[in-house]
Amino acid sequence: MQKPYPPVYYGDYLQLERLLTSQLPKSEEYGKPAHDEMLFIIVHQAYELWFKQIIHELGSVLEIFSKEKIDEKNLGTCVARLRRITTIQKVLIDQLNILETMTPLDFLDFRDYLIPASGFQSFQFRIVENMLGLSIENRVKFDDKNYYSLVSDEHQKLLIESHNKTSLLRAVDNWLSRIPFMDGNGYHFLNEYMSAVTRMLSNEMEIILNNPSLTDDKRNRQLSEFENTKKKFDALLDKDLHDELVSKGIRKFSYKSSLAALFINLYRDEPILHLPFRFLTYLIDVDENFTSWRYKHALMVQRMIGSKVGTGGSSGHHYLMQTAEKHKVFPDLLEIPTFLIPRSELPELPSEVRSRLAFSYELT
Ligand code: HEM
């Protein structure tokens, strides 16, 4: 039988001719070959290929999330794609070790040829940040410049385009705000949760007040810590306080979405909440892996150039450490553990709500 498609040659399929002739060390061009520049180029190129794959995965997740209704099967696909992104990220973090086999002196052999190019101009890295939902206001500036002011006009256009599209942060916020089950038929999650929290906090207060082994000093310290915890709960339970945190950029989800994320975390043992819970957990993993990469890159930069300014003109290590701290996209999800209460204190869901959350075969 004849094959319906013409034969494919490995090297043509992978465009190896173009790929393997795309390493052009500047040191060779200037007649002073520096051995390690090849490694420097290949590591960066490998990063850019992986960024391309991450953009591909994020794009498909965003396409699913931009729909009004996301069915279970599609949510499963999104979980699988986020998992793939987290696996790629681990490779990205590890890959910095390969570059660290280059010593600072070896780097100096070609570093000056690269000015003012810098990873700061990686438009794909910025597109990933934009797709996730890192906003302009939340970015650390250097030299009072916008993050896209140092890239070519063509790349600027792509960045502004990606910035103007719905990010994963906004799409997840919209999805969470639509989640059913939290209210109806006389059941109000917030009321039930508030009663449980009030019971738990007054128990904790009792324990501090009546613990005979505490000195006055220790008791006062514990009471002031207790007040801080209480204030955090107040901010979650009070919409105005929550909205104030949103206006300061400290929280990013709407009030309703924050409660939905909490509901999913508290009742994640209910079958229908398994996937949403795994999805939210992968979002934390993606955010955390990028933060780990930022820290590791900042540490590598310090050992490579000390406190010199970067080739792109930033304060180098100092600037990068700031981004590691401030460029988190899902701080609301990281705050959820503060509001978790022990399973023993968790209000029982009414049977009507439980049956809606169960797999149908469990009902028969
Ligand atoms: C010898 C190795 C490296 C050094 C010394 C270095 C240095 C720096 C410095 C100093 C910056 C701050 C901007 C500037 O002033 O230039 C920066 C930013 C950046 N670098 Fe590197 N880098 C190295 C390797 C890499 C690699 C392998 C990647 C992978 C793509 C990378 C990606 C980035 C990105 C994405 C930024 C922007 C970070 C942000 O603004 O949040 N760098 N790098």
Side-chain angles (χ1 to χ4, degrees):
M1 200 175 72
Q2 227 195 339
K3 215 165 146 265
Y5 309 107
V8 172
Y9 183 62
Y10 176 84
D12 294 339
Y13 179 62
L14 297 176
Q15 296 281 299
L16 289 187
E17 183 59 31
R18 279 165 58 183
L19 193 64
L20 301 178
T21 51
S22 300
Q23 293 71 38
L24 307 170
K26 284 282 167 204
S27 58
E28 281 180 22
E29 189 183 322
Y30 297 135
K32 292 185 179 165
H35 177 85
D36 283 9
E37 195 180 352
M38 181 62 85
L39 177 77
F40 187 81
I41 293 174
I42 288 184
V43 168
H44 279 83
Q45 287 179 337
Y47 267 101
E48 291 296 337
L49 285 176
W50 285 127
F51 291 159
K52 182 168 182 173
Q53 186 66 34
I54 292 178
I55 291 170
H56 185 61
E57 303 300 345
L58 277 179
S60 73
V61 173
L62 271 165
E63 201 181 313
I64 292 172
F65 262 79
S66 58
K67 299 203 170 96
E68 263 306 298
K69 192 173 178 315
I70 303 161
D71 72 29
E72 287 293 294
K73 199 170 78 191
N74 285 340
L75 191 57
T77 304
C78 290
V79 166
R81 303 223 163 126
L82 286 186
R83 177 169 171 260
R84 179 175 292 159
I85 292 175
T86 60
T87 311
I88 294 172
Q89 285 177 311
K90 286 178 195 146
V91 172
L92 294 187
I93 296 169
D94 263 5
Q95 214 162 256
L96 286 177
N97 292 331
I98 307 179
L99 203 52
E100 280 181 345
T101 61
M102 174 176 77
T103 66
L105 209 55
D106 294 328
F107 184 40
L108 278 181
D109 284 344
F110 61 92
R111 178 178 189 252
D112 284 355
Y113 304 139
L114 312 181
I115 295 170
S118 160
F120 193 84
Q121 296 168 326
S122 166
F123 75 96
Q124 290 204 106
F125 184 77
R126 301 300 180 206
I127 287 180
V128 171
E129 290 179 331
N130 285 346
M131 287 176 100
L132 288 174
L134 182 62
S135 63
I136 293 189
E137 310 82 65
N138 285 315
R139 284 176 185 273
V140 177
K141 281 193 181 170
F142 79 81
D143 262 3
D144 260 348
K145 288 187 196 119
N146 261 328
Y147 74 100
Y148 53 74
S149 59
L150 293 175
V151 299
S152 67
D153 290 351
E154 184 196 344
H155 290 161
Q156 266 192 32
K157 237 176 95 192
L158 291 173
L159 294 187
I160 293 169
E161 241 170 56
S162 73
H163 182 86
N164 290 338
K165 285 190 185 151
T166 304
S167 67
L168 192 57
L169 173 72
R170 290 283 68 94
V172 171
D173 188 18
N174 289 339
W175 168 66
L176 284 170
S177 70
R178 298 195 302 264
I179 280 193
F181 316 120
M182 291 170 58
D183 288 300
N185 291 342
Y187 172 75
H188 296 291
F189 163 65
L190 186 56
N191 292 352
E192 296 293 326
Y193 174 74
M194 274 166 87
S195 316
V197 167
T198 312
R199 271 196 307 277
M200 187 184 78
L201 289 179
S202 64
N203 273 350
E204 277 179 23
M205 177 81 141
E206 284 286 302
I207 292 170
I208 300 173
L209 289 176
N210 298 322
N211 184 347
S213 65
L214 288 180
T215 60
D216 280 352
D217 205 28
K218 270 193 179 163
R219 195 182 318 282
N220 286 339
R221 244 181 294 140
Q222 287 199 3
L223 282 173
S224 111
E225 274 169 30
F226 173 81
E227 273 309 310
N228 285 340
T229 314
K230 203 168 156 296
K231 270 189 206 147
K232 290 214 166 184
F233 275 101
D234 289 344
L236 178 84
L237 303 177
D238 182 320
K239 184 172 180 313
D240 291 339
L241 280 177
H242 178 91
D243 290 348
E244 201 182 312
L245 292 179
V246 171
S247 70
K248 288 182 186 157
I250 297 170
R251 292 277 171 279
K252 314 218 172 189
F253 283 162
S254 68
Y255 178 66
K256 206 165 169 226
S257 302
S258 298
L259 290 178
L262 177 64
F263 180 79
I264 291 169
N265 272 269
L266 285 171
Y267 293 103
R268 54 122 197 253
D269 293 336
E270 301 299 331
I272 222 169
L273 297 180
H274 285 179
L275 263 186
F277 173 71
R278 286 186 61 207
F279 180 74
L280 294 183
T281 306
Y282 273 122
L283 290 180
I284 297 178
D285 288 342
V286 169
D287 216 12
E288 186 177 310
N289 284 341
F290 271 123
T291 305
S292 298
W293 182 83
R294 287 182 200 278
Y295 274 119
K296 173 104 178 113
H297 171 259
L299 291 175
M300 182 200 67
V301 168
Q302 190 177 35
R303 75 185 264 178
M304 212 56 91
I305 64 170
S307 52
K308 289 192 185 106
V309 292
T311 48
S314 80
S315 58
H317 172 72
H318 177 68
Y319 160 78
L320 293 167
M321 287 303 269
Q322 276 182 300
T323 63
E325 211 27 69
K326 293 200 176 155
H327 285 188
K328 292 171 189 157
V329 179
F330 295 100
D332 307 65
L333 295 178
L334 291 176
E335 202 49 29
I336 284 181
T338 315
F339 306 113
L340 295 183
I341 53 179
R343 279 193 173 93
S344 56
E345 309 279 341
L346 200 60
E348 280 263 332
L349 290 170
S351 56
E352 188 271 335
V353 177
R354 285 208 65 222
S355 67
R356 283 199 288 145
L357 291 172
F359 290 137
S360 52
Y361 60 78
E362 282 189 1
L363 303 177
T364 54

